[in-house]
Amino acid sequence: MPQIDTKNIHAYWLGFVTYWGIVLFGYDTGIGGGIIAQDLFMQKYGLKNPDGTTNKSRRDHISAVVVSVLQAGAFFGALASAPVSARLGRKRTLLAFCTVFSVGAALQTALGGNRGLAYMYSGRAIAGFGIGGISAVAPTFVSECAPKEVRGRITGLFQIMVATGVMLSYWINLGASLYLSHSENVWRVPLGFQFVPAGFMLLGLLTVKESPRWLVSVGRNEEAIRNLAFIRRESVDSPAVRAEMAEIEAASQEELVARKGLGVKEAFFGKGNFIRFFFAFFIFFLQQFCGQNSVNYYAPIIFQSIGYTGTSVSLLASGIYGVMKVIATTFFIFVAVESLGRKLSLFISAIGMGILFFIVGALLKSFPPDPKASEPSPASQAMAAMLYIYVCFYSLGWGPLPWVYSSDIFPTRTRHYGLAVASASQWLWNFVVSYNTPMWVTNFGWKIFVMYATINVGAMGTFALIIPETKGRSLEEMDIIFDAVSAETRRQGIERRKVALGGTGDEGLFSTSSDSKVRV
């Protein structure tokens, strides 16, 4: 496994701190389904029939609302993040959204006693607003500060932290089920744990520097070069820092001239921009319909549907699923993301997921589980194994790379809009999937796996083949890849900025092959 270069330790630390907010993303999306599966919760809030059996219709409805109201809040938070981030900067915006999240977490934790589900619903919506803003701004902040040589690895920490949050939610739910099942702490402890990553993020953000690229975009160039030198662990007079600063300033100046007087419209429809927004929106549409988030949010219900009956048994199976996801994602991010590239990883991931879901659907149709069985059948065990392998393929590409790719492709002055659109797309389709999954599982059975498998192979595999590769390219080179500016124009702009900074020419600052361009 490659060793983390200590030269980039400040960039890694910034990613680690910022992405504790993404642990919240994963934790909150995973916690809802497990809480609803707890017997005491079902008894208190009317999810049990008089004879003790589960009222599936009411369970599906409350599950859908509890999980999806978070996504609804996150959708609006993601959209709101763009103007806030553009005005306040990346760091202060993250501090603000993390504070909003904490208010929502407090309302959720207060659930119990004579307080009804309104506390849960309102708390989830407010927390979702905070998470939506964090999910849009965090990858923007990290990608703008990471060196291009390891940008995919550092940006890809996003998905490791998501997977870590989901895994923690499964195991904390399991622990609560085993040791707190007779009191309201069975949901208050899991909900209260949200303050741990939120607190770590709030404190950690006080130790990091503002994005140099955002500072340049608002004319604070002196502060920008100091921050860039700090993040790169170099002096402000370092040739490498001055060369990178020249590239950043040249790209920023080109954008400023091109967009003068045109405002937000140019951000979306300027030369080379619309196709980037399309890729960012559509990549998350496909990610949400790959099937993983249905398993992610409702893992206890999914595992019960394939034969893992009983709250503790299904939560244990979910916990193992979460561990597999963290291990696979970590391996990919630190070993393969900068070697396989974005396109090949997405293609392999899509085909692997599709094949495994076809197998699960076929097994579930041929060997439906017996609800009265005391333990999972061999067919149920095989289906669980397929889901564990499935999440490894998901973690190879379609888990981390939509965030990495969306962070890669936008220029500085439109990146906050681009990541807001990408994140809003993620939460919009997340809402659709999470709201409908409980009913789909109940009504469709094995067909839900076949539906997802078809999307994996047909749509996602094709999409992976048509997008341009971005591995190893600087953020400023994306304008050339997407044909927003010519390579020669950019080179001349860099040379002018280097002279202004007191440097000399460097013809090898970047390279772009003609076949990597996207014509719009």
Side-chain angles (χ1 to χ4, degrees), residues 15-39:
F16 179 69
V17 165
T18 302
Y19 282 164
W20 270 98
I22 308 307
V23 172
L24 295 172
F25 177 159
Y27 188 82
D28 259 39
T29 54
I31 200 70
I35 287 174
I36 292 166
Q38 303 286 0
D39 285 338

Side-chain angles (χ1 to χ4, degrees), residues 3 25 28 33 70 121 152 157 195 250 259 269 361 496 508:
Q3 298 296 313
F25 177 159
D28 259 39
L70 180 85
Y121 296 156
L157 286 172
F195 290 106
R259 290 185 54 206
F269 297 103
R496 288 194 297 271

Side-chain angles (χ1 to χ4, degrees), residues 129-373:
F129 188 88
I131 288 176
I134 291 170
S135 70
V137 178
T140 301
F141 190 18
V142 173
S143 69
E144 288 180 350
C145 296
K148 66 181 179 181
E149 296 80 8
V150 293
R151 189 178 66 247
R153 186 173 299 145
I154 296 178
T155 308
L157 286 172
F158 186 106
Q159 191 63 24
I160 294 178
M161 301 303 255
V162 170
T164 299
V166 173
M167 180 189 68
L168 287 172
S169 74
Y170 292 158
W171 287 103
I172 290 174
N173 266 334
L174 175 61
S177 173
L178 294 174
Y179 301 108
L180 303 171
S181 60
H182 299 297
S183 75
E184 293 180 349
N185 288 333
V186 75
W187 61 77
R188 282 183 169 167
V189 168
L191 292 171
F193 184 81
Q194 296 172 101
F195 290 106
V196 175
F200 192 95
M201 181 184 179
L202 282 169
L203 293 175
L205 282 171
L206 301 178
T207 70
V208 302
K209 301 289 187 181
E210 180 57 85
S211 163
R213 286 178 167 86
W214 177 80
L215 290 169
V216 168
S217 74
V218 294
R220 293 159 60 180
N221 292 33
E222 290 299 320
E223 185 180 354
I225 197 169
R226 290 196 300 271
N227 285 8
L228 182 64
F230 175 82
I231 294 168
R232 298 293 181 264
R233 299 189 71 192
E234 299 271 6
S235 72
V236 293
D237 296 321
S238 162
V241 168
R242 288 190 171 272
E244 186 173 359
M245 188 67 182
E247 189 177 11
I248 292 170
E249 289 185 339
S252 179
Q253 186 64 30
E254 288 166 7
E255 284 190 74
L256 184 62
V257 172
R259 290 185 54 206
K260 187 174 182 179
L262 296 177
V264 175
K265 181 180 178 181
E266 174 64 17
F268 288 91
F269 297 103
K271 186 178 181 182
N273 284 354
F274 180 77
I275 188 65
R276 301 191 232 198
F277 282 97
F278 175 79
F279 281 160
F281 181 88
F282 199 64
I283 198 171
F284 279 105
F285 168 80
L286 291 174
Q287 186 203 51
Q288 296 311 303
F289 281 92
C290 76
Q292 198 281 148
N293 277 342
S294 289
V295 181
N296 199 39
Y297 296 138
Y298 300 106
I301 296 174
I302 296 286
F303 278 102
Q304 286 174 10
S305 74
I306 64 171
Y308 282 76
T309 57
T311 302
S312 295
V313 173
S314 62
L315 286 172
L316 177 60
S318 305
I320 296 172
Y321 180 86
V323 171
M324 292 291 293
K325 185 176 179 181
V326 170
I327 293 172
T329 304
T330 302
F331 174 83
F332 172 68
I333 292 301
F334 285 101
V335 175
V337 68
E338 297 296 359
S339 57
L340 287 178
R342 307 340 182 203
K343 289 168 63 73
L344 182 59
S345 296
L346 288 169
F347 182 76
I348 294 172
S349 174
I351 301 304
M353 289 190 297
I355 292 171
L356 289 161
F357 261 164
F358 275 128
I359 294 172
V360 173
L363 286 172
L364 189 56
K365 181 180 187 299
S366 303
F367 305 98
D370 180 2
K372 297 181 180 179

